[in-house]
Amino acid sequence: MARYELVKRSVALITLTNPPVNALSSAVRHAIAKSMEHALNDPKVSAVVICGENGRFCGGADIREFAGPLRGPPLVPLLDAIEAGEKPVVAAIEGVALGGGFELALVCHYRIAHFKARLGLPEVTLGILPAAGGTQRLPRLIGIPAALELITTGRHISAQEALKLGIVDQVTEQNACEVAVEFALRAVAKPLSSRRVSMLTTPCPPDLDALLEAVTMQVKKKARGVMAPLACIQAVRAAATMPYSKGIKRESELMATLFNSGQARALQYCFFAQRTAGKWTLPSGAQWNNSKPREIRSAAIIGLGTMGRGIVVSLARVGISVIAVESEKKLLETGKQMVIGMLERDAKRRGVSASLNLLKFTLSLQDLKDVDLVIEAVFEDMALKKRVFQELSKVCRPATLLCTNTSGLDVDALAGVTDRPHLVVGMHFFSPAHVMKLLEVVCGPRSSSETIATAMSLGKRMGKVSVAVGNCPGFVGNRMLKPYLDQATFLLEEGATPEQIDKALEDFGFAMGVFRMSDLAGLDVGWRVRKESGLTGPDVDPKNPPRRRQGRRYCPIPDMVCEQGRFGQKTGRGWYMYDKPGGTNAKPDPLIQNLLEMYRSRYGIQPRNISDQEIIERCLFALANEGFRILEDGIAARPEDIDVIYLFGYGFPRHGGGPMFYSSMVGLERVLERLEHYHQAHPDVPHLEPSPLLKKLVACGSPPVQKWREHIKTMHSHL
Ligand SMILES: CC(C)(COP(=O)(O)OP(=O)(O)OC[C@H]1O[C@@H](n2cnc3c(N)ncnc32)[C@H](O)[C@@H]1OP(=O)(O)O)[C@@H](O)C(=O)NCCC(=O)NCCSC(=O)/C=C/CCCCCCCCCCCCC(=O)O
């Protein structure tokens, strides 16, 4: 777990050897302690260099160990002892120095970083704080404002920024380890006291309280209800106001509160869930590590609407040549100008030059005959999409992959009209596609493993979090959205307001409540879907729209809102009112209040006070209940996949872990009991009827999320 060598006759070189990221597991900590003891006691050794194997210094504490009882040498005394040693210790930072890895570097007397290295204290993103002295040493080294920013955001910084901030002593383009050894030899016999960061006095700004207050406000606004950043601020305050010996105790007290919290468990679950999602698997045995993706050099996008434009930008900025196709000259020109503007702004922000030379704009599908992959992003209309796929089938060479960006239509029906159903797959981007990280890769029953591997790998290349899902109406994300939206509108009928429901969801941690989100997405989208599925249309009596349709409860209020031309932000009116069309500042609208009151009186509904708890339970348990059904149906392979979709595509708060993890935190028995209660009260809402899988899991003693798969195995899989 750590290799010990003597180099240049007097430098002890300690190499951490715990692939893939040299995490500080109990065995690694043990090996560091032993190696340091050896080095400090060996008279031949005059200096020490610590580095990591395979070009990675250290990715921090072993997060997997947090789930069990803490074993092995504790980190704080180990690091204190390194700093207190009488021989100079130099950190040779290559790859990453994160969390505990960064804290290890901070106790070394000197730090040399490779120019490509990244450093940071990302503990806050895991619901904890840098509790191996990081909150006490970093402010002493670089001052309170800069330390606060790094610790409360968890941002990774480049070696160059670390040099500017005074975190590292030298940045090198050569082998950092070799440079560090030479550096160590020169450091021998130099006094070490000023190099022991814990002994430094924290440079304290005169307006400390005001600064801490301002950062607290900022953090509360950005991450509503999240505990870890607030605890980080308190720990940094200790570094400013207490000697190290007391500050480190405060750090440890604050860590103890966070460590066992539900938020920390949820955030650490999210870290692993995101990585698990990349490891897709099909019933055929094909999976991420045995299916080779094709290399994609060129792609075409059909349709330059909002989605198409975002997809073009996502592809071009990772170096893929893109042909963008529109049906009319005017649409093509508008799309082209928008794409160029987006790429230029994106390149400026990233400090690179815009890859405009990779783009071609055309009105002719004939230009697509040689591309490696096509993504269709036309209007959400099955007949139109089928026509496009038939045409593509004729035009593109036989090996071209044909992908659809549909948000819920049948991918297999599209595959069926082509000459290559095995090369057809869904790539469901989220709007705006160049910003949103989520990509649902929709595997049709005939999509080949190579096709799926290619779509997943292309998603990764574009920086997306890609999740493989099965083919059913709405796939995973949008299928689950229906019961969630339904509950919100039923609550409106019963007495709630859009702003009350949104506030409850935003206080829970959602980036946006359901009505604000719908206004942003456009209310006409759902209206069209309801019309197409026969739920509403010209046959419905506009004066007395029925509240039961297709054998179940139906809320006509969203249709009534759309009938008034209120389509959300884009029309300046929706569930809220906005200053102007396209405005984003949502204000409660008395007209909506009126509409709700008239509606209730027309149907004789006595409005009642609805608690935030009821809002959260009905919306979120209905959402998770559909997630259980999706697992039963084999549309998602694992609960982690569903959670990742909701975290990255729908603004579910990370500190809640996602709908499935949240259910397990609340307790599956409780979720079952509440769903039974609400279903009894609303028997005409089938989505509230607890799913068989939920019942099964409760009957099996409510196993942790990671074990649910064992209980789903026997069920049917569409993946
Ligand atoms: C940037 C990365 C390092 C690498 O990225 P990439 O190359 O893309 O690779 P990945 O796919 O992300 O990762 C590869 C695999 O490695 C696994 N991995 C990565 N990092 C870790 C890790 N730190 N631990 C374990 N495993 C890790 C990853 O899961 C992949 O494996 P798999 O595919 O899933 O199988 C990137 O990985 C990254 O960003 N990593 C995380 C970096 C990070 O967040 N580091 C901080 C960790 S927390 C920390 O360091 C904390 C330090 C303080 C410790 C103090 C401990 C004291 C405990 C005291 C508690 C007191 C309370 C007691 C109360 C009581 O009484 O109960």
Side-chain angles (χ1 to χ4, degrees), residues 4-33:
Y4 183 94
E5 302 156 76
L6 194 64
V7 297
K8 299 270 174 172
R9 293 168 54 197
S10 68
V11 178
L13 178 62
I14 301 172
T15 309
L16 311 187
T17 55
N18 184 19
V21 302
N22 297 320
L24 295 167
S25 63
S26 117
V28 172
R29 298 196 304 276
H30 189 75
I32 297 175

Side-chain angles (χ1 to χ4, degrees), residues 20-21 23-24 56 59-64 66 70 75-76 96 98-101 103 118 122-123 125-126 128-132 156 252 255-257 259-260 271-272 275-276 279:
V21 302
L24 295 167
R56 272 184 167 168
D62 187 338
I63 308 165
R64 285 186 205 277
F66 291 170
L70 295 170
L75 208 45
V76 170
V96 287
L98 297 174
E103 291 169 302
R118 285 183 298 139
E123 284 87 340
T125 64
L126 300 168
I128 55 171
L129 52 73
H156 295 188
S252 141
M255 174 67 156
T257 316
F259 195 72
N260 294 315
F271 175 84
F272 290 113
R275 281 149 184 85
T276 303
K279 296 176 181 164

Side-chain angles (χ1 to χ4, degrees), residues 87-110:
K87 296 179 184 176
V89 184
V90 183
I93 302 169
E94 291 191 321
V96 287
L98 297 174
F102 187 12
E103 291 169 302
L104 170 62
L106 284 177
V107 298
C108 295
H109 305 111
Y110 301 94

